[in-house]
Amino acid sequence: MKARRPAPFAAMLLFLAACTSVTTNPNDPLDAGEWRTTKSRMYQDLALQCLQAQDHDRARSLLQQAAQFDPGERRTLELLARLAYVCGDHATARTAAMNLQQLDPDSVAAACTLGALAESSDRPAEAEACYRKALACGPDEVRPGVDLHRLLLAQGRESEAGALRATLQARFPRALEATLDHGASLAATGRWAAAASAYDQALAVVPDDPTAASGFALAAVLAATPKRALELGERLPPRARADNPALALTLATAHLQCGEPELALRELDLALPGSRTAPSLRLLRAEILVRLGQHEHAVAEFERVLLQRPDEVRASAGLGRLHLAAGRAHAAVRCFEDASRLQPANPVHHALLAKALLDAGDPTRARQHVRIAAGTAAGKPLADELLARHPELGPPPGASR
């Protein structure tokens, strides 16, 4: 009997099997390195996507994995050092910066990160040395100058900071960081008019910069020149309020300073619904509605604020006043109890709570809060007024004084 010949397909499988190597090592040692580099770049790309999505923790984790696959990738180390520092992971930031500096002793990113780490650890001399090294290594980069300028401001070396700021403005005319930092430094020391001028310089370069706009408006309001803030508001499109709730809040405050509550309410309503739901905007809106006599709308806004921030004492007190004025004594008691719990030293809350308790038919507890209010210099006039209007809040007959 003749042996059967293998089918053509089976013969092909046998041929391939005979030609296939069973070794587990790569044929070319470079293949492993290329694979690791590709893997590193993949993780770096994913990290950048996470950064765009504001997922900083995930981005930092991906960059750490990318650095493990390719420790010599400078861009990964630069991103990791910067992001880890911003996230407060100083150990990772230091390691990444040191590794980067070993790869490139003149790395600007490494020097700036090490300078920031030294500054955060209260070693200003070391931080300044790092920033100046970065400035020398990267004369065409703005970051070293901005970091050094911020350090000089923090140390009160304003003349040096001013000279450096002038240099930066000449070399990088579109960069606003140093000007904004100058404005923030002036605002931090209460020099509001000067701060407004600094922010105005930034707006001259980028007219719709949100940080400069909100900084200028706030400084103008606190410098008692609200009309300057309102003039800025007239130049900006309505979307500026929607994208910048702090600006909408400040412009509304400026209108209130000018005695224009209706326009203040309009400023807040220019914000899109997503921005208008911010508790701070809702709170001011509620207080403006009170001034306009729209009490039921104000009640609704105060209640929304308290849903978002149960410990917002201004909302509790404002809502309590409205309930008290409307004759809703028990609801007012709850509100003023919350306000007194949150600010136990505030005599106004105790005086109003006493009135609410009296209206709710609880004179015994009302007297306790009258005594608390009367026990402070600021609260005694309130307590005396309450006693004059409601003598029953005084000590009951026969009580020892």
Side-chain angles (χ1 to χ4, degrees):
M1 183 175 178
K2 293 183 179 180
R4 296 177 61 187
R5 297 177 61 186
F9 179 70
M12 180 63 70
L13 287 178
L14 291 173
F15 175 76
L16 289 173
C19 296
T20 299
S21 171
V22 296
T23 180
T24 58
N25 296 324
N27 292 331
D28 186 346
L30 291 178
D31 290 346
E34 291 175 358
W35 178 83
R36 295 177 70 85
T37 298
T38 302
K39 195 81 169 177
S40 173
R41 289 175 181 169
M42 181 187 73
Y43 278 118
Q44 186 187 117
D45 290 342
L46 290 172
L48 291 173
Q49 293 176 27
C50 289
L51 281 175
Q52 291 179 345
Q54 300 296 312
D55 188 351
H56 293 169
D57 290 337
R58 178 65 176 155
R60 177 159 46 100
S61 175
L62 288 166
L63 287 171
Q64 286 176 298
Q65 294 179 68
Q68 289 174 355
F69 279 108
D70 189 357
E73 173 56 43
R74 288 181 52 182
R75 179 59 176 161
T76 296
L77 292 173
E78 289 176 357
L79 289 170
L80 179 57
R82 189 74 178 264
L83 181 59
Y85 176 77
V86 170
C87 293
D89 185 358
H90 290 183
T92 298
R94 182 178 300 279
T95 299
M98 295 297 291
N99 290 341
L100 183 58
Q101 201 167 60
Q102 286 182 351
L103 290 173
D104 179 9
D106 293 333
S107 168
V108 170
C112 285
T113 300
L114 292 173
L117 289 167
E119 189 175 354
S120 66
S121 299
D122 198 23
R123 301 193 304 273
E126 180 182 338
E128 182 174 349
C130 289
Y131 294 148
R132 291 195 181 280
K133 176 184 176 182
L135 197 60
C137 293
D140 296 328
E141 296 190 35
V142 70
R143 181 185 172 188
V146 169
D147 288 348
L148 178 58
H149 174 261
R150 190 176 297 127
L151 176 66
L152 295 173
L153 287 176
Q155 292 185 312
R157 297 157 62 181
E158 295 193 7
S159 60
E160 294 176 70
L164 177 58
R165 187 167 58 253
T167 300
L168 292 173
Q169 289 170 346
R171 293 174 59 185
F172 308 99
R174 299 290 297 175
L176 301 182
E177 292 90 344
T179 306
L180 295 176
D181 286 340
H182 183 218
S185 175
L186 293 167
T189 55
R191 290 175 284 178
W192 299 113
S197 297
Y199 287 122
D200 202 21
Q201 290 178 21
L203 289 170
V205 178
V206 183
D208 59 349
D209 180 80
T211 302
S214 57
F216 174 82
L218 180 61
V221 165
L222 292 175
T225 56
K227 289 186 177 180
R228 294 187 68 195
L230 296 177
E231 288 169 0
L232 169 67
E234 292 173 358
R235 300 199 304 266
L236 296 173
R239 65 172 174 78
R241 281 83 157 168
D243 297 338
N244 192 348
L247 176 62
L249 185 65
T250 305
L251 292 176
T253 303
H255 278 299
L256 289 176
Q257 284 188 350
C258 293
E260 302 165 341
E262 295 88 351
L263 294 179
L265 191 63
R266 178 178 174 274
E267 283 291 348
L268 297 180
D269 288 342
L270 282 174
L272 292 175
S275 297
R276 202 167 61 233
T277 57
S280 56
L281 296 188
R282 281 200 184 281
L283 182 59
L284 182 59
R285 194 169 190 277
E287 292 171 344
I288 294 171
L289 288 167
V290 171
R291 292 181 61 172
L292 293 174
Q294 301 181 33
H295 290 179
E296 291 307 313
H297 291 298
V299 166
E301 288 289 9
F302 279 133
E303 288 176 343
R304 292 187 187 104
V305 172
L306 289 171
L307 284 175
Q308 295 174 278
R309 285 186 188 168
D311 292 342
E312 179 53 69
V313 67
R314 282 170 55 193
S316 293
L319 184 59
R321 288 173 184 270
L322 291 174
H323 284 320
L324 191 60
R328 297 185 287 264
H330 292 284
V333 166
R334 290 191 295 271
C335 291
F336 290 127
E337 283 177 337
D338 287 341
S340 298
R341 174 180 55 82
L342 294 167
Q343 289 183 347
N346 189 322
V348 176
H349 300 330
H350 289 286
L352 291 171
L353 177 55
K355 177 64 169 68
L357 286 166
L358 180 64
D359 291 353
D362 191 348
T364 301
R365 287 185 61 205
R367 292 187 191 100
Q368 295 173 1
H369 288 280
V370 169
R371 287 197 297 270
I372 294 173
T376 64
K380 191 174 186 310
L382 296 172
D384 290 343
E385 183 178 349
L386 269 175
L387 290 171
R389 294 185 179 187
H390 304 282
E392 64 271 31
L393 287 176
S400 60
R401 296 195 176 186

